Amino acid sequence: MMDSTNNLNPHTTHKMRRFRLPRWLNTFNIGLVMVVTLLGLAILAPLLSPFDPNVQNIQDRLLAPNYVHWFGTDRFGRDLFSRVLHGARPTLILVSLVVILTVPIGLAVGIFAGYFGGWVERILMRITDIVMSLPSLVIALALVSILGPGLMNGALALAFTSWPSFARQARTETLSIRRSDYLSAARMQGVSGVRLIVGHILPLVLPSAIVRAALNLGGIILAAAGLGFLGMGIQPPTAEWGSMVSSGSRVIFDQWWVAAVPGFAILFASLAFNLLGDGLRDKMDPRHDK
Amino acid sequence: MSTSTLSVGAKTRRLWIGRGQTLASGLVSLALTLFGLLVFTFILSRAAPVDPVLQLVGDHASEATYQQARHELGLDQPLPIQFLHYLERLFQGDLGVSQLTQQPVVSDLMRTFPATIELATCAMFFGAFFGILLAGMAVYKPGSWMDHLARFVSLLGYSVPVFWLGLLGLLLFYATLHWSAGPGRLDDIYTYTMTQNSGFILVDAIRSGDADIIKNAIAHLWLPVAVLALLSMASITRLLRAVMLEETNKEYVILAQAKGASRLRIIVVHVFPNVLGTLITILALSYASLLEGAVLTETVFAWPGLGRYLTSALFASDISAILGSTLLIGTCFILLNTFADALTKWVDPRTR
C-alpha cells in the first residue's frame, strides 16, 4: 500500500527546494558515533582519567576549569573530568540491566498473549495496560524508597514500568504472524510449543523489540539520572551524573560548572541513544524515512 | 454496509447500544486500572522496612503492648483482609499521617496539589501551542529548514534532563539577567501580606488586586513554566509531526493537492481534523508526564507543590506521604488516560 503511493508522495514535489544535509550526516550515523564514543569513554575511564575520581583534595575545592582540572573540581576537590568519565559506567550498567530485565519479560508476555489468545491474552494484556498507565518515575521513586537506593534496585524499579511497551508491540506482531503460511509450514513439520515460539516467532519479533529498546534508552537514562538527582540512585561517593548535578546545584550561582558538566553528560548520553533509536527506526520502517 | 437497510430508529438504537458498551468497557478498565494501582501501593506499604507497630508504641514497649497494638492496627490478619481495611480507610479519606509534617497526608496533598496543577496547566498551555505550531510548520514543508529545526528542537527537549535545564535557567535568568524572581512562588514580603486561599498563586494574586503582587507572582512562575513547557512542546512536536507526516502520505491529500488546494489549506482543513483524535491522546499523555516532570522541576525551583512534597518525603523515608503522593499522581495519570480515550472516541468516529 505505502509503496504504491510513494511515487505520488507530495514531498517529492518539494525535493527541489529541499535544504539537504550531506548523506552521511544522518541520525543513525550521528547516534552511532555518539553511542560508541560513550561506550569507549566508559570502558577506558580508568585509563583516560588524570585523577582518581574519589580522592578528595580539600585545598583544590571548587576550582574553575583549568589546564590541570579540565572541567574544574567539586566541593571536595575531586576532579570533575575524571568523575564525569567514571559516571558513564553506572549509567550504562543500569541502563543495560533495565534492558536485560525488560526485553525478555515484555517479549514473553507479548508473545504468549498473541500466541495463546483467549483468557491468557486478556489477563496478560490487562496487566500490561495497568502497568503502562502508571507514572513511571513516581512509581520508580516509590519502589526505590521501599527497596532502598542503589544500582540494582534502581534498575528493578525502572524495569518495573518499562516492559509493557515491549509486550504490546510483541503481541501485535505475534498476532499478525500467527496465521501466516510460514508458521503453518513449521507446524506441519511437527514443530510446536516452546520450539515454535523460540525458534520461529521470537526471531521475527526480536528486531522491532531492539529498535524499541534503543528508542526507550534515552528516556531510561533521563529517569535514572532523575533518581540519582533525588538521591535515590547510586549512592555517593560513587560518581553518578544525576547525584553530581544534585550536589552541584548547591553552588550553581557561584561555581556553575560543578552542576553544568555532569548535566551535559546526561544530555549527551540521552541524545546519543535517542538519535540511534530514531535512526534505527528510520532504517527498519520506511514510513518514517524522512 | 448492512446497516443501510435498517430503519433510522434501529440505527440510532444500535449506535446508543454501541456507545453504552464502550462506556461500560471504559468504566470497567478504569476500575481495574485503579484497582491495580491500589494493590501496588498496598503491597508497597506492607513491604516497607518501617514497622508501623514499632512506630506507634516505641522501642521500649513490652511484648504484650506490641501485640495489642499490632492487633488494633489489624496487622495480625491475613493480607486480603488487611487490603480490605486499607480500601476502607482510603474511602474514608484516610491516607495516614505524615511523619514529616505531622499532618494527615490527605490535607498535605490538598495543600500542595494546586501548586502543581497551576504549574503543569500553564506549561501545558504554552507547550501545546508551540508544539502544534512547530509540528504544523514541519509538515508544511517536510525536509525544509523548518522541519529540521522542529526535529532538532524536539529531539533536544526530549533528551535534556529537566532538573539540569531548570538549574541552568536559574543561573541565566535569575542570577545573571535578573529576569526571573527565582525559586518559590512569591517574594517573602508578599507571602505574609497576601491572603492565600485558593492554592493557585495567580488566582490569589489577581484577587488581591495588587499589581506588584501579580507581577511578582508571574516573575516567579514563568521560568519553571517555560522549562516544563519546553519539555511538553518537544514531545508534542515529535509525536504530532510523525502522525501528521503519515497522514499527508494518504491518498486524500494527493486528491486535494490535485484539486489545487494550497499546502496550508490541506494541513489545516484536511489533515488536522483527521489527526485530532490522536492529538487529544498526545496532549493527555503530555499533561500526565508534566505532572510527573513537576516532581523534578519543583525540587529545583523550591515550588511548594506535590513534587517537592514527594521528594522531601523521600528524603525522610516518610512512607505514608510517599504512597499518598504516588496514589494521587497515579490516579491523575489513569483518569487523564481514560478521559483522553473517551474524548478521542467522541471527536473521531473512526475509533468507535
Side-chain angles (χ1 to χ4, degrees):
Chain A
M1 280 287 278
M2 293 311 301
D3 290 343
S4 63
T5 55
N6 258 353
N7 305 337
L8 296 168
N9 189 328
H11 313 139
T12 48
T13 56
H14 289 285
K15 222 164 208 170
M16 304 309 290
R17 281 178 280 165
R18 236 186 205 182
F19 166 71
R20 277 206 161 276
L21 290 169
R23 179 161 284 211
W24 54 267
L25 196 69
N26 57 28
T27 19
F28 180 75
N29 284 355
I30 302 173
L32 190 66
V33 168
M34 285 169 80
V35 168
V36 169
T37 312
L38 197 66
L39 286 173
L41 289 178
I43 292 166
L44 299 175
L47 297 175
L48 295 172
S49 307
F51 293 91
D52 185 312
N54 291 327
V55 165
Q56 303 186 0
N57 187 355
I58 299 297
Q59 287 136 325
D60 291 343
R61 66 195 293 265
L62 296 170
L63 290 181
N66 56 43
Y67 287 111
V68 184
H69 301 284
W70 291 359
F71 292 164
T73 57
D74 67 3
R75 65 199 168 97
F76 296 111
R78 295 175 295 199
D79 180 49
L80 273 178
F81 179 66
S82 311
R83 280 182 75 72
V84 166
L85 280 183
H86 279 269
R89 300 181 142 202
T91 305
L92 290 176
I93 292 172
L94 189 138
V95 163
S96 337
L97 278 175
V98 173
V99 172
I100 291 168
L101 287 167
T102 50
V103 175
I105 295 174
L107 283 181
V109 170
I111 291 176
F112 279 134
Y115 182 75
F116 291 110
W119 276 106
V120 178
E121 180 177 17
R122 250 180 254 172
I123 291 170
L124 285 179
M125 291 331 283
R126 177 61 68 191
I127 295 172
T128 308
D129 284 346
I130 289 175
V131 178
M132 200 156 194
S133 64
L134 298 175
S136 56
L137 180 66
V138 172
I139 293 294
L141 283 173
L143 267 173
V144 170
S145 73
I146 304 296
L147 298 171
L151 187 74
M152 195 60 210
N153 289 344
L156 274 175
L158 290 174
F160 180 74
T161 46
S162 320
W163 61 266
S165 57
F166 295 100
R168 271 198 186 174
Q169 188 172 342
R171 171 181 161 266
T172 318
E173 298 200 341
T174 310
L175 280 180
S176 69
I177 54 175
R178 189 166 61 167
R179 304 233 167 273
S180 65
D181 293 344
Y182 153 80
L183 271 197
S184 319
R187 275 206 198 90
M188 271 188 283
Q189 285 179 331
V191 183
S192 67
V194 181
R195 255 192 78 198
L196 191 72
I197 289 174
V198 175
H200 293 79
I201 298 178
L202 187 64
L204 288 180
V205 179
L206 199 57
S208 54
I210 291 169
V211 175
R212 178 152 291 278
L215 278 168
N216 283 2
L217 277 177
I220 293 170
I221 286 176
L222 286 187
L227 282 183
F229 181 75
L230 296 175
M232 294 288 135
I234 299 132
Q235 293 300 292
T238 309
E240 193 273 333
W241 293 335
S243 63
M244 285 165 73
V245 174
S246 166
S247 75
S249 70
R250 294 179 208 181
V251 291
I252 182 74
F253 297 134
D254 303 304
Q255 286 89 19
W256 55 267
W257 55 89
V258 184
V261 171
F264 185 80
I266 302 169
L267 172 63
F268 182 88
S270 159
L271 198 60
F273 283 106
N274 279 335
L275 281 168
L276 186 74
D278 273 5
L280 266 179
R281 189 195 49 199
D282 288 351
K283 276 184 191 288
M284 307 285 282
D285 183 358
R287 269 180 308 170
H288 292 277
D289 196 4
K290 292 287 138 27
Chain B
M1 295 300 127
S2 63
T3 45
S4 59
T5 55
L6 292 172
S7 70
V8 177
K11 240 194 234 176
T12 4
R13 211 176 308 133
R14 179 167 287 192
L15 202 66
W16 277 105
I17 290 170
R19 279 200 190 156
Q21 273 170 347
T22 45
L23 186 71
S25 76
L27 283 178
V28 167
S29 84
L30 173 67
L32 277 173
T33 317
L34 284 175
F35 185 76
L37 178 68
L38 288 174
V39 171
F40 175 78
T41 49
F42 171 72
I43 291 173
L44 280 191
S45 73
R46 284 296 156 269
V50 183
D51 186 345
V53 184
L54 270 186
Q55 237 176 0
L56 196 72
V57 298
D59 290 339
H60 303 293
S62 67
E63 183 60 28
T65 328
Y66 181 88
Q67 287 304 339
Q68 196 193 346
R70 198 175 134 83
H71 178 72
E72 274 164 21
L73 287 174
L75 292 174
D76 51 352
Q77 283 165 327
L79 277 178
I81 305 290
Q82 283 191 39
F83 182 63
L84 286 182
H85 285 306
Y86 176 76
L87 289 184
E88 197 184 320
R89 280 202 305 278
L90 212 62
F91 282 114
Q92 289 164 356
D94 179 10
L95 287 170
V97 175
S98 159
Q99 287 166 261
L100 198 67
T101 59
Q102 299 296 333
Q103 300 273 325
V105 171
V106 173
S107 66
D108 277 349
L109 293 179
M110 294 206 331
R111 197 187 64 244
T112 51
F113 197 44
T116 302
I117 290 285
E118 185 171 35
L119 204 59
T121 310
C122 293
M124 185 68 214
F125 180 75
F126 290 105
F129 179 77
F130 289 109
I132 294 171
L133 198 71
L134 211 56
M137 274 163 50
V139 179
Y140 184 73
K141 241 190 243 176
S144 67
W145 65 268
M146 281 192 296
D147 189 16
H148 285 293
L149 181 77
R151 272 192 90 169
F152 182 72
V153 169
S154 69
L155 194 65
L156 215 57
Y158 214 70
S159 312
V160 76
V162 57
F163 50 90
W164 181 69
L165 194 66
L167 282 172
L168 293 190
L170 276 177
L171 175 66
L172 181 63
F173 294 112
Y174 170 57
T176 315
L177 295 172
H178 305 292
W179 289 1
S180 159
R185 300 177 89 187
L186 271 184
D187 283 353
D188 286 341
I189 19 166
Y190 299 121
T191 312
Y192 300 105
T193 55
M194 198 182 87
T195 46
Q196 300 187 26
N197 39 26
S198 70
F200 300 101
I201 204 79
L202 274 181
V203 175
D204 284 336
I206 290 168
R207 204 184 278 164
S208 77
D210 187 336
D212 286 342
I213 295 185
I214 300 175
K215 241 188 251 170
N216 189 254
I218 292 175
H220 278 278
L221 185 65
W222 80 264
L223 189 57
V225 164
V227 167
L228 280 175
L230 199 71
L231 227 67
S232 84
M233 183 190 81
S235 68
I236 291 169
T237 308
R238 187 180 157 105
L239 296 168
L240 190 62
R241 178 184 167 276
V243 174
M244 280 171 84
L245 266 184
E246 203 170 323
E247 200 68 25
T248 53
N249 282 340
K250 292 197 173 154
E251 288 179 347
Y252 73 87
V253 171
I254 298 162
L255 175 70
Q257 211 172 10
K259 278 169 67 184
S262 70
R263 185 75 176 163
L264 187 67
R265 192 184 153 80
I266 291 176
I267 288 176
V268 176
V269 179
H270 296 274
V271 173
F272 197 71
N274 278 323
V275 297
L276 199 60
T278 325
L279 178 64
I280 290 169
T281 315
I282 292 173
L283 291 182
L285 273 177
S286 164
Y287 192 77
S289 67
L290 276 178
L291 286 180
E292 207 183 26
V295 175
L296 291 163
T297 319
E298 285 175 4
T299 315
V300 173
F301 287 96
W303 193 262
L306 187 58
R308 205 169 72 121
Y309 179 65
L310 175 60
T311 45
S312 44
L314 281 171
F315 285 125
S317 26
D318 184 347
I319 302 293
S320 314
I322 295 170
L323 292 180
S325 319
T326 310
L327 205 56
L328 180 58
I329 298 177
T331 310
C332 289
F333 235 74
I334 294 164
L335 287 179
L336 272 169
N337 281 332
T338 316
F339 181 66
D341 277 355
L343 207 60
T344 308
K345 285 194 179 118
W346 186 62
V347 297
D348 194 344
R350 289 172 303 180
T351 54
R352 273 178 216 148

